[in-house]
Amino acid sequence: MTGAVKESVANPYQALALLQSVAIERPLHRFTLEEYHRLIEQGFFQPDDRVELIEGILVDMSPLHPPHAGTVDSLKEDLVTNVKRQAKVRIQQPITLPQQITEPEPDFVLAVRTEDYRTKHPLPCDVLLVGEVSDSTLAYDRGKKAQLYAEAGIQEYWIVNLIDNVLEVYRDPVGSGSNAGYKIKLTYTPSEKIAPLALPNCHLDLATVFFGPTDDVLPDTEE
Amino acid sequence: MLTAVQEQVYEKQPSIVQVGTNSGKSSDPFARSRLRRFSLDEYQHLIELGFFDEDERIELLDGLLVEMSPINPRHAVCVDKLGGLLNHLLYKKAWIRVQAPITLEGRSSQPQPDVTIALLQQEAYEERHVKAEEVLLLIEVADSSLHGDQTDKLEIYASAGVIEYWIVNLVDNQLEVYQVPYLSATGEGNYKIKRTYARDETISPQAFPDCPIALNEVLPRGS
């Protein structure tokens, strides 16, 4: 309760703008990646300011609901356990798509381990798998995000669809610009297992992803 | 680890799954409600950090960084004539600014109207831009921006309480005069009075009823 109130106070003009804003159909100013990085370095954004750069435009990331956050937690544990040291598991960290002037923060990324990404974020060629957990953002994740990831040539994209409780797996990126997309879409139900294309022997149990590990409930005896 | 059904899907869908396109449903891939909006302070900060070039024409509308449309010669000449005429008519009666920013605090907006007639207080304007309550008349010269000037800008100016707004409509070669701003029940700004004047008519600003402007001196000949 107090959390919600605090949030609106933390960013008053934003709330105001949302309340009063009129439909503005004018071309928006676009930043370059260098400018975006400069903004971050110069401390322009507040710690609670969650933004990503999409085609040069700053977009607010939607606040995380508990189902979303919990699913990301489960995925993280599962991925770290199963992927072991075959890839870097990155959770809600940026990747850079230079051609698209885009720097999103996907919910999870598997990246090659050839470097530790302290000097730059993973580039499309470093990304083995990109994933989003979707509830309110499903249309956006299937639309704009899929287009961008495909255009950048990211070979595999997962959407953990919390609306329908299925995993959507997209493979084989093709096309450019607004025509970019994935040739293959596979849908997995929570009773199934799945392995990323790049790590065929790393099987994830989707029941755990969607419903949490069975041993997550603490025994009564524990204080 | 594909199930039979999925393998079928795999085989039967060699064509592109158009996940990347919005199939023309919307011209707005960004879901405008999610765009990061800037406060006036942040906008000022961006300017101070040197984010915009001298020749970059940008205005802040409801917290969005909007690219202003380029000025064509006909538009430029019309602004020149208005500036000259008003400077002559209102010398030492009002402060006339051409294509300079005004600050609308309630709306996180800092547009650059073609002409602003404001209270005569030069010293204050050396410290900060003109505020909404100091504006006596705003004028936009509109060709390609006509729709926006009649909708988003009109709404923002009215809700900020700008008492009079003129659109020199170069598309229909007429002057549109908007007076008496009010807020609708839903909080949207609008003007109660709209009058349209043709090229052979004469009009005075509401604040200066004794300063008639012959519109044939402003609107281009012909069309």
Side-chain angles (χ1 to χ4, degrees), chain A residues 30-44:
Chain A
R30 289 169 194 264
F31 292 97
T32 64
L33 272 173
E34 292 70 34
E35 288 175 326
Y36 180 57
H37 292 160
R38 236 173 85 205
L39 283 177
I40 296 169
E41 278 160 27
Q42 289 175 333
F44 184 83

Side-chain angles (χ1 to χ4, degrees), chain A residues 105-149:
Chain A
E105 293 185 13
D107 284 317
F108 55 100
V109 164
L110 298 184
V112 294
R113 289 198 72 102
T114 46
E115 61 172 300
D116 62 4
Y117 307 112
R118 276 166 206 257
T119 54
K120 62 172 179 55
H121 301 313
L123 295 167
C125 57
D126 302 316
V127 176
L128 302 172
L129 169 75
V130 63
E132 301 283 2
V133 173
S134 291
D135 35 36
S136 59
T137 60
L138 186 58
Y140 184 65
D141 291 337
R142 282 174 171 169
K144 193 73 204 169
K145 284 269 173 83
Q147 179 208 315
L148 289 166
Y149 294 151

Side-chain angles (χ1 to χ4, degrees), chain A:
Chain A
M1 287 299 150
T2 49
V5 174
K6 243 195 221 157
E7 250 174 44
S8 62
V9 172
N11 219 341
Y13 34 82
Q14 211 159 18
L16 203 66
L18 282 175
L19 277 177
Q20 298 189 335
S21 64
V22 57
I24 292 172
E25 292 164 14
R26 294 168 184 260
L28 296 179
H29 176 70
R30 289 169 194 264
F31 292 97
T32 64
L33 272 173
E34 292 70 34
E35 288 175 326
Y36 180 57
H37 292 160
R38 236 173 85 205
L39 283 177
I40 296 169
E41 278 160 27
Q42 289 175 333
F44 184 83
F45 300 111
Q46 301 301 308
D48 58 349
D49 210 346
R50 298 180 67 240
V51 294
E52 51 188 5
L53 190 73
I54 305 293
E55 294 185 324
I57 290 173
L58 290 172
V59 177
D60 274 319
M61 296 172 68
S62 42
L64 298 178
H65 307 294
H68 185 138
T71 306
V72 172
D73 278 350
S74 288
L75 261 164
K76 178 181 167 183
E77 285 177 21
D78 261 30
L79 286 169
V80 169
T81 313
N82 287 291
V83 168
K84 301 209 174 69
R85 300 184 62 80
Q86 301 175 77
K88 272 253 189 245
V89 177
R90 288 169 60 97
I91 301 297
Q92 293 170 339
Q93 301 282 6
I95 59 173
T96 307
L97 316 179
Q99 297 291 317
Q100 287 70 38
I101 318 178
T102 293
E103 196 163 293
E105 293 185 13
D107 284 317
F108 55 100
V109 164
L110 298 184
V112 294
R113 289 198 72 102
T114 46
E115 61 172 300
D116 62 4
Y117 307 112
R118 276 166 206 257
T119 54
K120 62 172 179 55
H121 301 313
L123 295 167
C125 57
D126 302 316
V127 176
L128 302 172
L129 169 75
V130 63
E132 301 283 2
V133 173
S134 291
D135 35 36
S136 59
T137 60
L138 186 58
Y140 184 65
D141 291 337
R142 282 174 171 169
K144 193 73 204 169
K145 284 269 173 83
Q147 179 208 315
L148 289 166
Y149 294 151
E151 197 189 3
I154 292 175
Q155 52 175 302
E156 185 167 17
Y157 173 35
W158 288 7
I159 296 178
V160 181
N161 172 344
L162 295 185
I163 306 286
D164 308 302
N165 266 357
V166 292
L167 174 72
E168 299 176 10
V169 174
Y170 298 92
R171 288 172 180 168
D172 279 11
V174 283
S176 64
S178 58
N179 286 321
Y182 285 91
K183 285 175 81 170
I184 295 166
K185 174 185 178 180
L186 305 171
T187 305
Y188 288 77
T189 60
S191 61
E192 296 178 271
K193 288 190 171 198
I194 165 100
L197 210 53
L199 305 173
N201 43 19
C202 161
H203 297 293
L204 294 184
D205 189 348
L206 292 181
T208 321
V209 172
F210 283 99
F211 308 121
T214 42
D215 59 358
D216 242 15
V217 183
L218 296 174
D220 291 342
T221 50
E222 214 159 294
E223 271 301 281

